[in-house]
Amino acid sequence: MTEPQGGSDPKVFTCRAHRHGVGSWRLNGRKWFSSNARWASFFIVMAVTDTEVPIYDGASMFIVPRERAGIHFIRNTGLIFDAPDEGSEGYIEYRDVPLNDSDLLGGAGDAFKIAQFRLGGGRVHHAMRSVGLAAKAFDMMCERALSRTTQGSPLADKQMVQAAIADCWLQIEQFRLFVLRTAWKIDKYGDYKRVREDIAATKNLAYRVVTDVVTKAIHLHGSLGLSNEMSFGEMLRAALAMGIVDGPSEVHTVTIAKQILRKYEATPGLFPTSHLPARVVAAVNKYHSQLQLPGPKSAWVEYARKLQPDGTHAE
Ligand SMILES: Cc1cc2nc3c(=O)[nH]c(=O)nc-3n(C[C@H](O)[C@H](O)[C@H](O)COP(=O)(O)OP(=O)(O)OC[C@H]3O[C@@H](n4cnc5c(N)ncnc54)[C@H](O)[C@@H]3O)c2cc1C
């Protein structure tokens, strides 16, 4: 086993802040991928502050001014396509950084609540920007399809290009409507928890739709699409980031499934509630007079029961 790392599993955060006298703390640990930290005047750091309680109540957030003693930039990591000295993602070590109670964001132990609240809105915001990104790539794709002629006709006349364009348009419009519905639900309920699966789905779709549309747009531009004379590199990177930032797609997929499954119940008997013999018994019981079946109702109920070995869901 390697050393525990947070990332998709914030329950194993190792960055810690411990009490150091009344009203004071000391912060120790490393943070990977602190976006734009090199330009920031303060950092928001989540750290474990109480190991005696479950982690969801034992982590706190601090606002740490950049000039505090003990903050060391290990390096600024770049994203793919960045030059080595262009990193925007701070890899930071906090060594006995002095903190005060007044540096706490919210109360001690509130970090997960604050993070969930921030992530709810943040993920929908990612999705909103992704709608715009996909639409931009799509516009570029359509313009190119009409402009570039090959084998005697514009790309736009080729059926496979038309299929790609129609498919991208369908995806974008479905995605746009889904994001709008999610935003509407958030406004309606004023509670991110109640629309967890919708939020997880917008984030999931953002990755899928933007990656697909941008990839197709690049492809349709041929060599020009892969050149550094177009902005597709930046777009593709943003698209790929959507599958990781604020939690990877797999984790959101699991959230969707769990939330949806909560709305269902296991069947009490051996067979599913839609097992046809059980439905027949129920139908005969309920609709016998309308069905105009020959013979008495009891005979049909008895007949239907024979089809249904465990006798559940009969009425
Ligand atoms: C552009 C960018 C900016 C970021 N900015 C910040 C920031 O400012 N502050 C900050 O704190 N963090 C930031 N992050 C970090 C981000 O929150 C993490 O990258 C993310 O939570 C995933 O953690 P990880 O990178 O450690 O991946 P890992 O946890 O190592 O996961 C790697 C892969 O494993 C798979 N995986 C993980 N968990 C599961 C699972 N449960 N089921 C199935 N498969 C799974 C997925 O394919 C996943 O992509 C940023 C990340 C990116 C890409």
Side-chain angles (χ1 to χ4, degrees):
M1 279 284 276
T2 50
E3 199 186 326
Q5 300 165 357
S8 350
D9 186 5
K11 297 189 296 304
V12 298
F13 268 178
T14 54
C15 192
R16 295 233 183 309
H18 63 271
R19 278 282 179 199
H20 191 262
V22 181
S24 297
W25 305 79
R26 287 286 187 272
L27 173 68
N28 282 286
R30 288 179 173 194
K31 289 290 184 187
W32 167 251
F33 259 63
S34 300
S35 286
N36 302 315
R38 65 194 281 191
W39 300 286
S41 52
F42 65 87
F43 312 125
I44 297 175
V45 181
M46 183 164 167
V48 178
T49 45
D50 187 349
T51 51
E52 303 296 314
V53 297
I55 180 76
Y56 290 115
D57 301 316
S60 308
M61 279 195 190
F62 294 92
I63 297 177
V64 186
R66 183 197 186 89
E67 61 278 2
R68 279 287 157 85
I71 299 176
H72 300 272
F73 273 71
I74 299 170
R75 60 180 177 273
N76 287 299
T77 300
L79 299 176
I80 46 174
F81 309 141
D82 279 341
D85 58 349
E86 280 182 359
S88 57
E89 310 302 316
Y91 185 20
I92 305 175
E93 180 159 13
Y94 298 92
R95 285 188 220 144
D96 263 336
V97 177
L99 299 173
N100 305 310
D101 278 349
S102 57
D103 297 323
L104 275 166
L105 177 62
D110 281 351
F112 273 87
K113 276 184 230 113
I114 298 168
Q116 276 313 321
F117 187 76
R118 199 291 286 167
L119 286 166
R123 285 171 181 147
V124 179
H125 192 263
H126 281 313
M128 290 171 179
R129 285 184 286 107
S130 298
V131 172
L133 188 57
K136 174 67 186 165
F138 183 69
D139 289 346
M140 292 162 79
M141 183 176 174
C142 292
E143 184 194 78
R144 186 66 181 167
L146 290 167
S147 315
R148 166 79 163 128
T149 297
T150 180
Q151 292 176 347
S153 64
L155 288 176
D157 283 359
K158 325 274 182 210
Q159 282 193 344
M160 289 175 82
V161 172
Q162 290 169 353
I165 286 171
D167 185 49
C168 287
W169 183 82
L170 282 168
Q171 288 192 72
I172 295 169
E173 292 311 306
Q174 285 177 333
F175 177 40
R176 188 197 306 275
L177 287 171
F178 195 90
V179 174
L180 280 171
R181 194 186 74 163
T182 304
W184 171 76
K185 279 190 176 180
I186 292 170
D187 282 347
K188 186 175 169 195
Y189 300 125
D191 179 5
Y192 289 127
K193 264 192 173 168
R194 196 157 162 192
V195 284
R196 270 184 81 182
E197 71 261 39
D198 299 79
I199 291 174
T202 57
K203 179 71 183 6
N204 228 325
L205 284 169
Y207 169 62
R208 283 201 231 172
V209 174
V210 186
T211 309
D212 196 41
V213 173
V214 170
T215 309
K216 285 197 172 99
I218 294 174
H219 191 75
L220 224 96
H221 280 73
S223 53
L224 181 64
L226 271 187
S227 76
N228 62 2
E229 296 179 8
M230 300 298 291
S231 53
F232 288 125
E234 193 74 19
M235 289 181 170
L236 188 60
R237 191 167 75 174
L240 294 174
M242 274 308 123
I244 298 172
V245 67
D246 283 357
S249 295
E250 289 89 335
V251 172
H252 293 299
T253 302
V254 170
T255 301
I256 296 169
K258 279 186 177 165
Q259 294 298 314
I260 289 171
L261 286 170
R262 278 190 191 157
K263 296 171 190 160
Y264 291 85
E265 279 177 20
T267 176
L270 191 59
F271 291 91
T273 51
S274 298
H275 192 216
L276 288 177
R279 311 292 297 171
V280 172
V281 174
V284 170
N285 268 323
K286 192 168 177 188
Y287 298 113
H288 181 263
S289 55
Q290 288 102 310
L291 286 172
Q292 296 178 337
L293 296 168
K297 177 180 168 184
S298 57
W300 284 100
V301 170
E302 194 46 38
Y303 169 75
R305 273 193 206 287
K306 283 183 190 152
L307 299 173
Q308 187 203 14
D310 75 341
T312 53
H313 317 304
E315 311 309 326

